[in-house]
């Protein structure tokens, strides 16, 4: 709550600071509730219906390719689940041939390899189908030729005119990450309280132990298995889910609807993806908060770090019994 109040205060202070200055002066803190302008937005996509000079402009058809990518990603999400069965049987066979595998390590490896297969296939779809290209790279174009001509050792980096997302380190990403994490925790707790009130108690009583819980508390306190189990939910998943939902889905939805409806729909899909009835409302709230934080900070690194901190806190807190 203090973090959110501080954001509002900084917004007002920054607006007061630029009063009377030139019209082109940019405030330090963007407006909280308004739709990001084209300059503020971390993505820039040209819609199919926008006109351009076809003689010298290669117009990227983001609207049509985003639909194709969504269909392929949906199919891949359910199809790559079969890889987990393949890895499970393969590891069983390897253990039969003498590979020393504990039950906990076997489970951790199945989850990790299955997750990485989904990340690999999904990344290939985003990289190969979506236009404008390249999808990965955070929208930056590197001009090495200009650097050589100027005699400098560092290549010049400029944001591409059309891009799906933006990542950058030379911003106030640390403060956005810290403040965004606390605001996320506050709103998650509010949503979790509402969740407890709205859902029947029988659902929570019948809730079975999930895969993540089994990774956190493996048989015989297998430390190495827990370490392997940490990788997917706390390292690779935060990066992948932020690139998928904030880097791709949020701007893709923006091609068909307004900014705030896109935030709402992307948060709902983010919640549905986790297949948790008990956590549906809090996860949707997290999806909404992180989408807004990404758009307002203009930097996908902010939500990747918040997501990684969030999952790590849940994992390590449960692992240490806190």
């Amino acid at each position: 709550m203090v973090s959110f109040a501080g954001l509002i205060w900084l917004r007002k202070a920054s607006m007061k600071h630029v009063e009377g200055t030139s019209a082109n002066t940019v405030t330090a803190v963007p407006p909280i509730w308004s739709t990001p302008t084209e300059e503020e937005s971390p993505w820039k996509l040209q819609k199919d219906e926008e006109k351009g000079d076809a003689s010298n402009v290669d117009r990227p058809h983001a609207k049509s390719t985003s639909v194709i990518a969504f269909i392929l990603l949906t199919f891949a999400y359910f199809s790559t689940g079969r890889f987990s069965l393949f890895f499970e049987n393969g590891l069983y066979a390897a253990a039969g041939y003498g590979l020393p595998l504990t039950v906990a390590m076997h489970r951790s490896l199945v989850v990790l390899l299955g997750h990485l297969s989904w990340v690999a296939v999904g990344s290939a779809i985003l990289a190969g189908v979506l236009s404008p290209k390249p999808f990965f790279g955070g929208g930056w174009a590197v001009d090495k030729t200009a650097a050589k001509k100027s005699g400098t050792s560092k290549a010049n980096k400029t944001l591409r005119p059309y891009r799906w997302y933006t990542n950058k380190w030379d911003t106030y990403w640390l403060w956005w990450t810290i403040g965004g994490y606390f605001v996320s925790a506050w709103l998650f707790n509010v949503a979790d309280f509402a969740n407890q009130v709205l859902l029947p108690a029988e659902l929570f009583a019948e809730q079975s132990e999930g895969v993540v819980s089994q990774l956190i508390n493996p048989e015989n306190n297998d430390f190495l298995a827990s370490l392997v189990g940490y990788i997917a939910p706390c390292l690779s998943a935060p990066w992948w889910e932020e690139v998928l939902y904030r880097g791709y889905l949020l701007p893709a939805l923006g091609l068909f609807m307004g900014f705030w409806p896109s935030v709402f729909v992307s948060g709902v899909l983010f919640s549905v993806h986790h297949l948790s009835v008990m956590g549906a409302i809090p996860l949707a709230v997290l999806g909404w908060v992180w989408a807004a934080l990404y758009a307002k900070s203009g930097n996908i690194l902010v939500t990747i770090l918040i997501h990684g901190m969030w999952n790590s806190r849940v994992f390590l807190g449960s692992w240490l019994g806190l």
Side-chain angles (χ1 to χ4, degrees), residues 5-6 20 72 168 177 182 199 243 252 294 301:
L72 292 176
K168 46 191 175 183
T177 301
F182 287 126
L199 294 181
V243 168
Y294 164 53
L301 291 176

Side-chain angles (χ1 to χ4, degrees), residues 63-139:
K63 196 172 185 179
S64 54
T65 57
S66 64
V67 175
I68 298 173
F70 183 83
I71 295 172
L72 292 176
L73 285 167
T74 303
F75 177 77
Y77 174 70
F78 292 102
S79 299
T80 51
R82 297 179 178 271
F83 284 116
S84 295
L85 182 60
F86 170 78
F87 292 129
E88 184 177 7
N89 293 332
L91 289 171
Y92 275 135
Y97 282 106
L99 182 67
L101 277 180
T102 64
V103 173
M105 178 59 77
H106 178 273
R107 183 190 301 117
S108 296
L109 286 173
V110 169
V111 172
L112 175 61
L113 295 174
H115 170 72
L116 292 179
S117 64
W118 156 232
V119 172
V121 173
S123 297
I125 292 172
L126 295 180
V129 174
L130 290 179
S131 181
K133 297 181 184 299
F135 176 80
F136 294 100

Side-chain angles (χ1 to χ4, degrees), residues 191-192 194-196 198-200 202-204 206-208 271-284:
D192 192 46
N195 205 46
Q196 299 283 342
L198 295 174
L199 294 181
E202 292 77 11
L203 282 178
F204 297 95
E206 296 173 0
Q207 184 177 4
S208 60
S271 177
V272 171
H273 172 210
H274 287 80
L275 303 175
S276 173
V277 176
M278 281 67 70
I281 297 176
L283 286 171

